[in-house]
Amino acid sequence: MIERLLNFLNESPVNFLATKNIACQLEKAGYQRIDPQRPLSEQEQAQSMINGGGKFYVTKNDSSIYAFHIGRKPMAEAGFRMICAHCDSPTFRIKPHAEMLCEGGIVKLNTEVYGGPIMSTWFDRPLTIAGRVIVRGKDAFNPQTLLLHVKRPLLQISNLAIHFNRQVNDGVKLSKQKDMLPILGIVSNELERGNLLMNVICTELEIRQEDILDFDLYLADATPACTFGVHDEFISSGRLDDLSMCVAGLEAMIGAETTDATKVLAIFDNEETGSQTKQGAGSPFLAMMLKRIVLAQGGREEAFYQAVERAFMISADNAHAWHPNYSEKYDPTNHPVLGGGPVIKFNAAQKYASDAVSAAVFAEICRKAGVPCQRFVNHSDVAGGSTLGNILASSIPLRGVDMGNAILAMHSCRETGSVDDHIYAVKAFTQFFTE
């Protein structure tokens, strides 16, 4: 199970590749892709799966994915069980016209920050690029999308030597525009001038530069995910937040048998930038798909509202683990530890979807699964973050809980999690889908 997680992390450096890899695993498990542009009633594979036991999925923008395992009973009668997570992580996006030629022929890339990374953790480590490249298609409205993952160290953001910055260990304010630009290489001839990045893209994808229309490309850590610790009890990787929850939800979804309730796995994009996109949790896309399924089952709009009232959502996004060097940053009585099991997250300002009722439901699911359960509340003097649970609930008023596994160094280029916690999460999610 842990090996599968590590492999997924290594093969999913950005949202687009995570979505592709999830789709591949769903298809191996018998899920079929349907076309949201066409009526479900006209899609033979969709119509045959609307009844109990059907398995299908849809994607949006190549960067979010929604899987459905239809229950034995109509959704109006049994509702649905939903696990939500997100596949984006803080990083750096490569800007258009990115190449900046410097003295000595050195080329650096112009980038902008995506989300809220701990920027200093990106220094002096091998990096690569990944994302999607858009090339000419059959017409202007239907270009072709090619996914790119350069599987070798390609760039580096180099620190300034301490001799030029004696205060570096006292804390330094970093400029996103000046300090965080990665070095790509050295121009060796006139033909490479202004074409170094494009040459890499064209070589990797075996395409012509004149066919490239645009791209969404990001930096990613090139060092593989691994376990560490005396007993190999820890996981070290970029993007644990939130790909580890995506993988846990996917494993539970694939392993679940058909039950009365419909099972839903929703993997959103753009949580790190507020979720207000067509592929984010703030979009009505998922609600529209659920309503279309209810209508295809022969129900009316009222049946969809009944299904929502009978539903339960797990918003799965990782939590802050207690850090042994910074205990003063944590609530004195509600600080989860690595290896202590899934974490239910609470916030009096309602930044999380959890309340006493939904927390009790999830805690009981954990108990039945034989899994320990923890609680997280922010230190009252330390502001915390938010997640997608409440954003989704603003468009679909679901009863639900915000939870996640405890990790250290959230939003670092490499985060630290627990082997046991990942196993616990899969067990809890499997119990949730089979209840």
Side-chain angles (χ1 to χ4, degrees), residues 41-117:
S41 58
E42 294 180 5
Q43 298 184 63
E44 188 174 315
Q45 73 273 31
Q47 189 60 32
S48 66
M49 291 185 290
I50 291 301
N51 298 318
K55 299 177 181 180
F56 54 94
Y57 73 93
V58 296
T59 62
K60 188 71 172 175
N61 190 51
D62 302 317
S63 65
S64 64
I65 185 166
Y66 313 86
F68 307 90
H69 183 170
I70 304 302
R72 287 187 292 260
K73 293 184 177 180
M75 280 205 284
E77 296 179 24
F80 52 91
R81 308 271 169 80
M82 182 188 297
I83 294 176
C84 305
H86 66 90
C87 60
D88 63 318
S89 300
T91 181
F92 297 84
R93 184 180 188 273
I94 299 174
K95 293 181 179 179
H97 310 294
E99 292 188 33
M100 304 171 73
L101 184 62
C102 307
E103 196 165 337
I106 292 177
V107 173
K108 62 182 181 180
L109 295 183
N110 193 10
T111 63
E112 61 179 330
V113 173
Y114 177 87

Side-chain angles (χ1 to χ4, degrees), residues 192-424:
E192 287 187 338
R193 188 182 294 268
N195 293 309
L196 217 55
L197 176 61
M198 282 298 180
N199 288 348
V200 171
I201 295 171
C202 291
T203 300
E204 289 286 327
L205 297 178
E206 299 181 345
I207 57 176
R208 300 180 306 169
Q209 184 170 333
E210 54 265 34
D211 290 331
I212 297 175
L213 301 175
D214 215 325
F215 57 71
D216 291 314
L217 295 176
Y218 300 85
L219 305 189
D221 184 14
T223 306
C226 66
T227 57
F228 72 99
V230 172
H231 309 292
D232 274 329
E233 62 265 56
F234 302 117
I235 302 169
S236 173
S237 175
R239 306 175 303 282
L240 284 176
D241 175 31
D242 192 35
L243 291 187
S244 61
M245 291 291 94
C246 296
V247 172
L250 177 64
E251 295 229 346
M253 186 77 167
I254 288 174
E257 300 292 332
T258 303
T259 58
D260 287 347
T262 291
K263 288 174 273 294
V264 181
L265 177 67
I267 307 298
F268 296 102
D269 191 12
N270 304 131
E271 190 275 343
E272 300 294 356
T273 56
S275 297
Q276 301 303 317
T277 62
K278 63 185 178 300
Q279 59 274 0
S283 166
F285 180 77
L286 177 58
M288 290 163 55
M289 282 303 306
L290 289 167
K291 184 178 289 188
R292 290 172 68 179
I293 292 170
V294 169
L295 295 176
Q297 287 179 325
R300 299 188 177 185
E301 189 168 337
E302 176 66 24
F304 169 69
Y305 301 131
Q306 288 178 274
V308 169
E309 291 302 311
R310 291 188 167 96
F312 194 93
M313 167 194 66
I314 294 177
S315 170
D317 197 358
N318 282 319
H320 297 294
W322 177 80
H323 196 304
N325 295 345
Y326 303 98
S327 60
E328 72 279 4
K329 295 291 186 180
Y330 298 84
D331 183 78
T333 61
N334 297 279
H335 47 264
V337 296
L338 291 169
V343 179
I344 301 172
K345 301 189 284 188
F346 295 91
N347 183 268
Q350 303 302 299
K351 289 186 177 181
Y352 300 129
S354 310
D355 57 27
V357 175
S358 63
V361 170
F362 185 74
E364 181 65 5
I365 288 168
C366 288
R367 186 192 68 80
K368 287 189 173 184
V371 167
C373 185
Q374 307 182 86
R375 265 79 170 171
F376 171 81
V377 185
N378 282 308
H379 187 292
S380 296
D381 295 328
V382 178
S386 58
T387 185
L388 55 82
N390 274 350
I391 294 172
L392 179 62
S394 66
S395 60
I396 313 176
L398 296 165
R399 182 172 58 145
V401 63
D402 264 304
M403 56 73 63
N405 279 344
I407 64 171
L408 292 173
M410 187 179 290
H411 290 196
S412 171
C413 190
R414 288 187 78 88
E415 299 160 327
T416 296
S418 160
V419 166
D420 285 346
D421 284 341
H422 183 69
I423 297 170
Y424 290 148

